[in-house]
Amino acid sequence: PQNQLLQKTREGARHADADSGTRRHLTSMASFNAEAFKIKLKKLSASQQSIETLSFWVQHHKKSCAESAKIWAAEVMKSRDSAHRLNMLYLVNDVLQTSRKKGPEFIQEFGSVLPVVIPAVYSSADSRIQGKLNRIMSIWEDRRVLGSSLISEIKRKLASGAGPPPPPGAGPGSIAGLGNPLAGPGPPI
């Protein structure tokens, strides 16, 4: 009888823990909290699960997408860790690509800060991370995630010196090899 009572007590405790975990999860999804978002951004890792989980959280708070975009941009600009900045760009990539069929809000709000954020990240990154940024931009362009005018604006800012000089052999169409954005394809003259 005493063992049965002890077992029931343990089972009850497990159920209570599970219920409180569910409540914590629901509470964290219930309303947007700027400080919670900043903490989540700081904890963001390069894992697909981490990026997709936070992307889902951001999209869940669609009514706060303008605030999300501003906080995200501020946190990216504050960070001095190039790898972490890249993770935050991967987050936005996921948000933009998975939300675009549900409405334009995230593209509009994050699009308004990307022309400042991307050149800043690019200019302070090493060539490995710059290559990854080039890849993100080419995906956005190829999949038409962002409008061509926004892509052009970002490329103009990169070409105007916001980033380091292009590496030798960078081809047209890559961010690094932009040269004059008004010039046609082909090597610079």
Side-chain angles (χ1 to χ4, degrees):
Q2 204 167 25
N3 284 345
Q4 289 175 342
L5 180 61
L6 184 58
Q7 186 176 1
K8 285 183 180 182
T9 304
R10 286 182 185 148
E11 287 176 12
R14 274 195 299 265
H15 290 300
D17 286 346
D19 288 345
S20 68
T22 302
R23 269 189 246 113
R24 272 193 305 271
H25 175 71
L26 292 174
T27 301
S28 71
M29 295 295 281
S31 62
F32 182 82
N33 179 310
E35 289 307 311
F37 184 42
K38 289 176 186 177
I39 290 167
K40 289 174 187 298
L41 286 171
K42 282 180 179 42
K43 292 181 179 180
L44 183 67
S45 74
S47 77
Q48 183 175 353
Q49 181 180 6
S50 177
I51 290 165
E52 288 176 352
T53 300
L54 188 49
S55 174
F56 179 78
W57 187 89
V58 170
Q59 291 175 65
H60 176 77
H61 297 289
K62 186 176 185 175
K63 290 181 181 175
S64 301
C65 68
E67 188 176 0
S68 294
K70 288 176 187 164
I71 291 169
W72 172 83
E75 292 301 308
V76 171
M77 300 300 273
K78 267 196 253 180
S79 178
R80 294 294 157 232
D81 179 356
S82 293
H84 191 251
R85 288 174 130 192
L86 180 64
N87 293 341
M88 289 193 273
L89 279 161
Y90 284 151
L91 168 67
V92 166
N93 177 51
D94 194 80
V95 168
L96 295 177
Q97 289 199 56
T98 56
S99 70
R100 66 186 173 150
K101 293 179 182 171
K102 299 172 190 165
E105 297 86 356
F106 288 101
I107 290 173
Q108 289 170 347
E109 297 301 335
F110 282 93
S112 70
V113 296
L114 285 172
V116 173
V117 172
I118 290 178
V121 172
Y122 192 88
S123 67
S124 66
D126 62 27
S127 61
R128 182 183 65 82
I129 290 180
Q130 287 175 353
K132 292 179 181 197
L133 290 171
N134 286 337
R135 177 73 181 128
I136 292 171
M137 289 288 293
S138 68
I139 288 169
W140 289 344
E141 193 168 24
D142 294 346
R143 296 181 185 174
R144 295 186 170 108
V145 174
L146 300 176
S148 59
S149 61
L150 182 55
I151 296 282
S152 294
E153 179 183 355
I154 295 169
K155 286 181 176 183
R156 269 193 308 279
K157 289 190 177 207
L158 287 170
S160 71
S174 74
I175 292 176
L178 289 174
N180 179 350
L182 301 175
I189 300 176

